[in-house]
Amino acid sequence: MKKSLLLIASLALCCSSAFARQYKEACDLTLVGKLFPDTPNPYHRVDTVVYKGFTKGENKQVRQSSGIAVAFRTNSKFISVKTNFKYASRGSNTNAFASRGYDLYIKDNGVWRWAGSGEGKDTNKEITLVKNMASGEKECLMYLPIYSEENSIQVGVADEAFLEPLENPFHHRICVFGSSYTQGSCTSRSGMAWPSQFSRMTGLQMLNLGCSGNSKLQSYFADCIKCADVDAYVFDAFSNPSAELIEERLFPFIENIQAAKPGVPLIFLSTIHREKRNFDLKIDKYGKDKMEMAEKMMEEAVKKYKDVYFVTETATATIDGAFYEPTVDGTHPDNYGYYLWAKSIVEPVTKILKNYGIK
């Protein structure tokens, strides 16, 4: 009996060592995609004690970790993660891998290739994102949840492996303020919002401040983002506000930021056609009116203000002239729709940025 117990204990020790892990807090590695690097909670996008004026919902959104990623090096054959959530989103139109999960990429011949994803489970419950990998060093990029708030995120690797910060793989600092499209609603993984895809396509660091339903050219958002240390701004500014709000708020919004950031480019993007407009005449008129107002106001803005630009997204409605339906819920694209959006603006946006030495 005693020998049996010793054998069981020995087997248990072998099994535990085979799967033994060491952990490092994600913020002790390299966080990329953060608009404000010095928030008290490292996984918040904005310090809501410093910046005021947000509604209760907006206050919650800017503490969510959308667009933030962890860059690190390891030679471990597996990578895991466990989270202490302040809350884990249970939304309906964005699945668990995106809203409360992680999306891991590994550099392969100079290209970020998907390696694994997983749903952030309950607090401190570990999930393995990838396993059974070959030996050797890997450069990794792990995106944090889109719609959740975290107190602690721990990256796990094998005990015998190294786990070190990776130098930020992206260049420059470009603030992106926008709607649920920017935050990443309806993506199936947390690294598939269009700003994240744009970063992987171009090597430019997009700092995501998408706030679902709440990108309405508010003055207090301008007061916040004008304080950030950035090289440029990109705005998904016409997806949420009505035609009336666009007309009322656009020019004061531009003037507020330009007063603090003279000479910094402000690039405004057109919004996309929503499939809910297809047969609902009321929704169609609302969408048409705001798109026409945005075009009218931006035509005047690019003449009135230096360093202001308007870029039209062109690729989410058709592919090679054929009608394409990228929608998940009649409003938001799927992953491929966001890919087409990002791809369609790479050339015009990077062309503008190059004029400012941003490459």
Side-chain angles (χ1 to χ4, degrees):
M1 180 68 177
K2 189 173 182 180
K3 288 183 179 180
S4 297
L5 290 173
L6 288 172
L7 178 61
I8 291 170
S10 176
L11 288 171
L13 181 61
C14 289
C15 290
S16 65
S17 63
F19 295 95
R21 286 152 167 78
Q22 58 166 308
Y23 298 95
K24 281 192 178 178
E25 189 67 29
C27 63
D28 292 331
L29 299 168
T30 301
L31 294 183
V32 304
K34 267 181 67 70
L35 182 60
F36 292 100
D38 56 351
T39 54
N41 180 319
Y43 310 117
H44 287 176
R45 295 182 291 169
V46 173
D47 183 348
T48 52
V49 173
V50 173
Y51 297 99
K52 303 294 187 180
F54 305 122
T55 66
K56 183 178 180 180
E58 292 161 357
N59 217 50
K60 181 178 180 180
Q61 285 175 330
V62 299
R63 296 195 303 267
Q64 294 166 348
S65 52
S66 178
I68 300 174
V70 188
F72 57 92
R73 298 168 57 250
T74 185
N75 60 348
S76 178
K77 294 183 179 181
F78 66 84
I79 296 170
S80 64
V81 62
K82 59 182 181 179
T83 315
N84 182 301
F85 286 104
K86 182 165 185 180
Y87 68 86
S89 172
R90 307 282 171 176
S92 59
N93 68 354
T94 306
N95 77 23
F97 280 21
S99 63
R100 60 180 182 273
Y102 297 87
D103 197 13
L104 177 69
Y105 295 78
I106 295 176
K107 185 71 72 70
D108 182 22
N109 292 320
V111 176
W112 289 111
R113 290 188 63 191
W114 178 84
S117 296
E119 172 190 356
K121 300 287 187 179
D122 297 332
T123 288
N124 293 330
K125 186 170 183 179
E126 184 180 58
I127 57 172
T128 299
L129 299 177
V130 63
K131 58 185 178 180
N132 303 318
M133 290 192 290
S135 301
E137 180 180 323
K138 296 96 178 168
E139 294 185 359
C140 305
L141 184 68
M142 186 184 78
Y143 289 91
L144 309 189
I146 287 176
Y147 283 114
S148 299
E149 183 179 354
E150 305 84 33
N151 296 319
S152 170
I153 299 169
Q154 293 192 317
V155 179
V157 298
D159 263 345
E160 69 276 10
F162 64 79
L163 176 58
E164 301 172 352
L166 177 68
E167 185 177 351
N168 192 332
F170 302 112
H171 307 290
H172 300 287
R173 291 177 50 81
I174 301 168
C175 172
V176 188
F177 174 51
S179 67
S180 54
Y181 298 137
T182 295
Q183 189 161 0
S185 186
C186 286
T187 54
S188 65
R189 307 195 310 269
S190 57
M192 294 304 287
W194 74 261
S196 298
Q197 295 200 56
F198 187 95
S199 285
R200 296 197 300 275
M201 290 176 185
T202 64
L204 295 171
Q205 183 179 199
M206 309 299 275
L207 313 170
N208 189 319
L209 193 61
C211 291
S212 294
N214 293 310
S215 173
K216 298 179 180 178
L217 297 164
Q218 302 97 314
S219 60
Y220 50 83
F221 268 110
D223 290 339
C224 171
I225 62 178
K226 74 183 183 182
C227 296
D229 178 17
V230 299
D231 303 304
Y233 293 90
V234 174
F235 299 107
D236 159 30
F238 306 125
S239 299
N240 291 150
S242 64
E244 292 75 20
L245 283 180
I246 293 170
E247 184 175 30
E248 172 190 337
R249 294 179 175 179
L250 178 59
F251 288 0
F253 184 86
I254 291 172
E255 290 166 5
N256 189 351
I257 294 175
Q258 284 201 326
K261 288 288 197 293
V264 173
L266 279 60
I267 303 172
F268 288 82
L269 306 178
S270 66
T271 191
I272 62 174
H273 180 96
R274 304 181 182 190
E275 282 80 4
K276 277 188 177 180
R277 292 177 55 182
N278 290 348
F279 299 101
D280 188 315
L281 298 180
K282 183 177 180 180
I283 292 177
D284 182 53
K285 183 180 185 304
Y286 180 82
K288 181 181 178 183
D289 287 349
K290 66 196 262 175
M291 290 180 82
E292 289 179 348
M293 180 60 73
E295 290 178 8
K296 172 179 174 290
M297 296 294 289
M298 285 308 303
E299 184 179 357
E300 184 177 344
V302 297
K303 296 175 182 176
K304 180 180 176 69
Y305 304 105
K306 187 181 179 183
D307 305 311
V308 172
Y309 304 88
F310 186 49
V311 170
T312 301
E313 177 279 328
T314 60
T316 57
T318 62
I319 301 177
D320 298 329
F323 189 72
Y324 165 61
E325 297 178 352
T327 192
V328 171
D329 58 3
T331 299
H332 304 93
D334 55 20
N335 290 349
Y336 188 51
Y338 283 121
Y339 165 79
L340 294 173
W341 181 340
K343 185 178 179 182
S344 77
I345 64 171
V346 164
E347 184 177 348
V349 169
T350 56
K351 184 177 179 180
I352 293 167
L353 294 176
K354 283 178 183 177
N355 292 331
Y356 294 84
I358 302 170
K359 301 178 183 179

